[in-house]
Amino acid sequence: MTSPDATHSDAIQTQARLPVLPPHVRVGYAVIGLGELTEEQLYPAFHLSGQSRLCALVTGNREKALEQAELLGLRPQDVYDYDHFEELKDRPDVQAVFIVLPNSLHREYTERAARIGKHVLCEKPLSVSVADAEAMVLACKAAGVLLMTAYRIQYTPHHQAARELIQGGTLGKVKMMAAIDVQTEPNEGQWRLKRDLAGGGSLLDVGLYCLNTARYLSGEEPYEVFAYTHSTPGDERFGEVEESVSFTLRFPSGLISSNFCSYGTSKHRSLRVLGEKGNLLLDPAFDYTSLRLMVDTETEVRETLIRETDQFALELDHFSGCVLSGEAPFTPGEEGVQDQRIMEAIYRSAREGRPVQLERLEGRDLFRGKKPAQIERERA
Ligand code: NDP
């Protein structure tokens, strides 16, 4: 792609348009699992969300949690351990939980939260199997609480702009998407390398971004997958889960999506979309900040400048808005279940060395709720 500097840039301002609510009417959350994502991304996001407030912490490490609580302005009685999670039932200020635990624990805490009447925002992947993910959807339905898969990318302005360019026809008929999400983490001993906690390797962790983004940008569902997995012989990190996966998805419109994810390659996260009349590049595509969107069509080459907004705050705002209105989230549990189905097909294809068929589904956004209301863009 030609350098965007060669032509012109245009600017898009993105703003959260949901009203900033007074603290006492914001949706109150308990965060479950105080690891890296919670501490580094979610605490700041709660601070930025005008619809949400953090009321309680659930942890296996009380000492760490008490320190964090003090910094967050929470009281010692706002810290719960896993065994006493159900005591949150008596906290009317806590309407929702945010599950930020290792993947295989997502089902248990979703079911426990549903049983005490709390709405559930659950980190990706929704779970470690189709069966678990479907059970989570059912548990929340039966309890009358909302379940949202925390797919921050679908609330991210750069990806929303890319989706509009693709679905609005700017690139013409889209033929190909190529996504890469690779990194060298995790280190030995991390739960991400243990099958019983992670459920799989790089596919469930970073490959899911490639898969979910292809579905989100196109709005379509794949009907066939073909995949290879690879783990470096002798690398002890990959005794239980795979290092790398290469997978191809075929969509009803003819679109082919080609993807590579790995735990064994230095960090790179990009997405290229090729259409009859133009192409676009998101690079980096899946990072928390500093995303870049470049568009190259028959008439212009430009970088679309989009004002950065905290991805996790946007996601939180959306879910809180749903809790307040009772509407289904844009990325409900069903959206996570569908990715789980496709990931199981990807593993099966790699195991059996042949393409695997999925149910052929026509139509767009079949597993999504109403488009998020909070994002409006204005040309500067
Ligand atoms: P961490 O390992 O940093 O934290 C996980 C936390 O879970 C731990 O700190 C611990 O909290 C709790 N925990 C409970 N049981 C266990 C156990 N058996 N082993 C390890 N931890 C346990 O993980 P992350 O925060 O990076 O990931 C958590 C979830 O968030 C995962 O599902 C992951 O896929 C997802 N994620 C999503 C991202 C996104 O961009 N949307 C980015 C990163 C992660 P405590 O000490 O309080 O008990």
Side-chain angles (χ1 to χ4, degrees), residues 235-247:
D235 190 329
E236 288 179 5
R237 289 177 299 163
F238 306 116
E240 295 187 27
V241 300
E242 84 283 351
E243 176 182 354
S244 306
V245 186
S246 165
F247 61 98

Side-chain angles (χ1 to χ4, degrees), residues 33-38 58-61 64 82 100-103 105-106 123-125 150 152 190-192 197 205 209 288 312:
L34 313 182
E36 192 174 322
L37 185 69
T38 298
V58 184
T59 183
N61 183 339
K64 169 182 77 178
Y82 296 121
V100 204
L101 293 163
N103 307 339
L105 302 173
H106 293 182
E123 260 311 330
K124 49 59 59 177
R152 64 181 163 82
Q190 241 262 18
W191 63 264
R192 282 179 170 80
L197 288 168
D205 192 11
Y209 288 102
Y288 300 147
F312 295 95

Side-chain angles (χ1 to χ4, degrees), residues 101-176:
L101 293 163
N103 307 339
S104 68
L105 302 173
H106 293 182
R107 175 179 175 174
E108 176 190 338
Y109 282 88
T110 297
E111 291 177 338
R112 288 173 70 177
R115 278 200 292 274
I116 59 168
K118 307 295 179 187
H119 302 286
V120 179
L121 176 54
C122 182
E123 260 311 330
K124 49 59 59 177
L126 186 59
S127 192
V128 291
S129 68
V130 176
D132 277 8
E134 285 178 340
M136 292 162 72
V137 170
L138 284 177
C140 290
K141 279 208 162 56
V145 296
L146 299 176
L147 172 61
M148 171 165 143
T149 316
Y151 281 142
R152 64 181 163 82
I153 289 296
Q154 297 198 31
Y155 301 92
T156 296
H158 288 76
H159 286 261
Q160 289 171 329
R163 181 169 135 118
E164 279 165 25
L165 288 166
I166 291 164
Q167 298 197 8
T170 304
L171 307 184
K173 188 172 164 51
V174 171
K175 302 291 180 80
M176 213 269 173

